[in-house]
Amino acid sequence: QVKLVESGGGLVQAGGSLRLSCVASGRPASYYSMGWFRQTPGKEREFVATISWAGNTIYADSVKGRFTISRDGTKNTVYLQMNSLKPEDTAVYYCAAGPGWNSELAQTLAAYASWGQGTQVTVSS
C-alpha cells in the first residue's frame, strides 16, 4: 500500500552535512508517521528520528541537536538534515512509514509497516 523512495546518501568528511529525503506513495493513512533508522554490519537496526502527521518529533539521544527531521507541506516527503556528522554516524539509513503515532512505540521497528531500500551514509575522519 505504500512505497518509500530514499535519496541523499553519500560520502562526507567529519563535521560535514547531508540531507536525506524519502518520498512516500500510496494511501496517506499508511504513512501517518515517518521515521529514520540506521544499521551497520552485524548490528541491530537502531532508531534515529521520527515525525507524525501533525509534526510531533522524537530523536535518539545520539543525534539530538545535530539531526533535524521534517515533512514538507504535502506530508508525503520526509527529510533528515544531518549536521556535524561524525564517523559513528556511518551506516545504511532506512526510511520507514507507519499507520499511527504512539510516543512509546514510535521508536520501535514494530511501529512501521513499510521500509525503503536504504541509502549509505559514510563519514570519513
Side-chain angles (χ1 to χ4, degrees):
Q1 292 98 316
V2 60
K3 179 179 175 64
L4 303 173
V5 179
E6 301 156 303
S7 62
L11 172 65
V12 297
Q13 295 284 330
S17 298
L18 283 174
R19 188 179 73 159
L20 306 183
S21 300
C22 177
V23 180
S25 59
R27 299 192 304 167
S30 297
Y31 51 90
Y32 183 91
S33 62
M34 296 183 71
W36 293 93
F37 290 74
R38 64 188 183 186
Q39 188 170 23
T40 56
K43 304 293 184 180
E44 298 289 334
R45 192 168 297 186
E46 68 171 332
F47 169 77
V48 176
T50 189
I51 185 168
S52 74
W53 191 272
N56 308 100
T57 59
I58 301 174
Y59 295 92
D61 289 342
S62 60
V63 306
K64 191 173 297 182
R66 299 187 298 121
F67 292 9
T68 302
I69 190 169
S70 61
R71 301 178 82 143
D72 70 3
T74 66
K75 303 295 181 72
N76 75 324
T77 304
V78 66
Y79 304 98
L80 185 68
Q81 178 66 46
M82 304 184 293
N83 298 327
S84 302
L85 282 163
K86 305 174 181 179
E88 308 93 89
D89 296 317
T90 295
V92 176
Y93 283 69
Y94 295 91
C95 179
W101 177 260
N102 182 297
S103 61
E104 294 185 3
L105 297 179
Q107 302 175 59
T108 70
L109 297 173
Y112 303 91
S114 302
W115 295 85
Q117 76 284 357
T119 184
Q120 177 71 47
V121 172
T122 302
V123 184
S124 62
S125 301

